[in-house]
């Protein structure tokens, strides 16, 4: 692992494979970390790819360079982090792939700066948030209950709970969101250390408040957030992975992929939960190699 200055962050990065090969950036979600991609990275490296796996802001060894920088978890911030990392590493039009927060960052970069990437693998499809719709269109109760953790974090009680029980909350979400995945204590423990990042709680709480319009975003990203609010199409070659056993991201649905992606190479249903790269790494790697 090494650290590289990229925008407002010193990003902790794991890199595998052939630096002269075609580049792939693998982006984890919440509450996970780069361990989700250990097997995927090995498979891609064996295939001759240059594999870059960063820790997102608020996770692992990634740190803000300035104490005054807002600890934002908004989608526009994640998009800029990814774009700045691609620039800092001088990657040539990498494929970007991710799920949850990481998938959102990948979708945002592919939508706003398509000339900078060569393809996209996105779990659950189009992950760019429509914040106005989130505020005005409540879902049926049997779907709303899936987001209990987000509503919990809207309160200061939730912030205190995440501070004290960050690992316990994460393990609960892993279990709930991937009911068919039998991960062990050691497997979870290898990731849990990443939640001890000093900015973890602030970034996570801001993310889940901003997406409902409860807190303002970082003014530095206002223009980008405005562009994302328009729900831009994604024009780069894309493979969507739809997990059949995911009990939270099922809210996104599979019926509207064609409306958001103009170059949809494939939609692949996988029998797994919320974390496909760790649950079915061979299938996830194959989607990337297909592009």
């Amino acid at each position: 692992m090494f650290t590289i200055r990229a925008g407002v962050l010193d990003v902790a990065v794991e890199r595998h494979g052939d630096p002269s090969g075609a580049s792939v950036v693998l982006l984890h979600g919440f509450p996970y970390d780069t361990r989700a991609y250990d097997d995927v990275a090995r498979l891609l490296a064996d295939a001759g790819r240059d594999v870059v796996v960063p820790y997102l802001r608020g996770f692992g060894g990634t740190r803000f360079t300035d104490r005054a920088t807002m600890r934002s978890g908004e989608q526009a911030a994640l998009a800029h982090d990814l774009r700045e990392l691609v620039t800092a590493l001088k990657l040539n039009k990498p494929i970007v792939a991710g799920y949850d927060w990481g998938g959102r960052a990948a979708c945002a970069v592919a939508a706003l700066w398509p000339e900078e990437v060569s393809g996209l693998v996105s779990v659950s499809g189009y992950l760019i948030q429509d914040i106005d719709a989130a505020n005005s269109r409540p879902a049926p109760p049997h779907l709303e209950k899936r987001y209990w953790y987000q509503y919990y974090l809207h309160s200061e009680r939730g912030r205190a709970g995440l501070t004290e029980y960050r690992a316990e909350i994460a393990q609960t979400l892993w279990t709930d969101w991937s009911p068919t995945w039998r991960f062990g204590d050691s497997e979870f423990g290898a990731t849990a250390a990443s939640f001890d990042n000093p900015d973890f709680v602030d970034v996570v709480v801001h993310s889940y408040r901003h997406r409902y319009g409860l807190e303002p975003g970082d003014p530095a990203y206002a223009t980008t957030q405005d562009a994302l609010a328009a729900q831009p199409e994604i024009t780069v070659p894309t493979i969507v992975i739809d997990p059949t056993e995911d009990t939270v991201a099922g809210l996104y649905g599979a019926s509207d992929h064609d409306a958001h992606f103009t170059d949809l190479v494939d939609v692949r249903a996988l029998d797994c939960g919320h974390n496909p790269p760790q649950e079915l790494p061979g299938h996830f790697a194959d989607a990337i190699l297909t592009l």
Side-chain angles (χ1 to χ4, degrees):
M1 187 173 71
F2 63 94
T3 301
I4 186 167
R5 180 67 55 87
V8 301
L9 301 174
D10 285 329
V11 183
V13 179
E14 297 172 2
R15 197 167 188 175
H16 312 269
D18 183 356
S20 66
S23 295
V24 181
V25 184
L26 304 175
L27 299 144
H28 68 82
F30 165 85
Y32 306 89
D33 78 343
T34 58
R35 299 281 67 75
Y37 287 108
D38 284 349
D39 290 335
V40 173
R42 174 181 53 79
L43 292 167
L44 295 177
D46 288 347
R49 302 305 192 268
D50 172 30
V51 188
V52 174
V53 195
Y55 288 82
L56 300 187
R57 57 169 58 199
F59 292 78
T62 293
R63 297 290 187 272
F64 288 85
T65 61
D66 190 335
R67 293 178 62 185
T69 300
M70 182 176 179
R71 270 41 177 177
S72 171
E74 66 191 281
Q75 60 182 353
L78 299 176
H80 277 271
D81 292 347
L82 173 55
R83 190 186 191 201
E84 294 282 2
L85 180 65
V86 169
T87 299
L89 292 174
K90 299 179 180 178
L91 304 181
N92 180 26
K93 298 191 69 173
I95 290 172
V96 290
Y99 65 103
D100 198 86
W101 287 23
R104 184 162 296 113
C107 282
V109 168
L112 298 182
W113 304 291
E115 70 282 357
E116 299 183 19
V117 300
S118 62
L120 167 69
V121 174
S122 178
V123 175
S124 298
Y126 190 83
L127 300 182
I128 297 174
Q129 294 161 342
D130 186 343
I131 294 173
D132 287 342
N135 286 331
S136 61
R137 302 175 198 162
H142 74 282
L143 298 178
E144 291 278 14
K145 71 177 184 179
R146 300 177 180 184
Y147 280 7
W148 68 267
Y149 65 101
Q150 298 190 19
Y151 308 141
Y152 180 57
L153 295 173
H154 293 172
S155 70
E156 287 307 294
R157 177 181 173 85
R159 180 191 292 274
L162 184 64
T163 301
E164 184 170 355
Y165 297 113
R166 60 192 74 189
E168 291 85 351
I169 289 172
Q171 191 166 26
T172 297
L173 297 179
W174 280 33
T175 302
D176 288 351
W177 295 350
S178 297
T180 60
W181 180 30
R182 301 294 181 258
F183 61 88
D185 289 343
S186 61
E187 193 169 12
F188 176 76
T191 287
S194 285
F195 311 145
D196 292 330
N197 182 299
D199 301 306
F200 175 78
V201 172
D202 287 343
V203 170
V204 170
V205 168
H206 182 264
S207 173
Y208 290 110
R209 294 182 182 182
H210 178 269
R211 67 182 62 193
Y212 288 95
L214 300 175
E215 286 194 6
D218 186 334
Y221 305 124
T223 300
T224 299
Q225 176 52 39
D226 287 345
L228 294 173
Q231 298 285 277
E233 289 182 331
I234 294 176
T235 60
V236 305
T238 299
I239 290 179
V240 168
I241 292 174
D242 274 330
T244 62
E245 306 302 321
D246 188 342
T247 62
V248 65
L251 280 174
Y252 302 128
S255 62
D256 63 347
H257 296 324
D258 288 335
H260 293 295
F261 301 98
T262 64
D263 190 358
L264 190 58
V265 176
D266 200 4
V267 177
R268 300 183 178 184
L270 298 185
D271 293 332
C272 64
H274 194 63
N275 183 7
Q278 200 161 1
E279 297 176 53
L280 293 176
H283 290 276
F284 198 92
D286 182 70
I288 292 168
L289 293 172
T290 297
L291 289 178

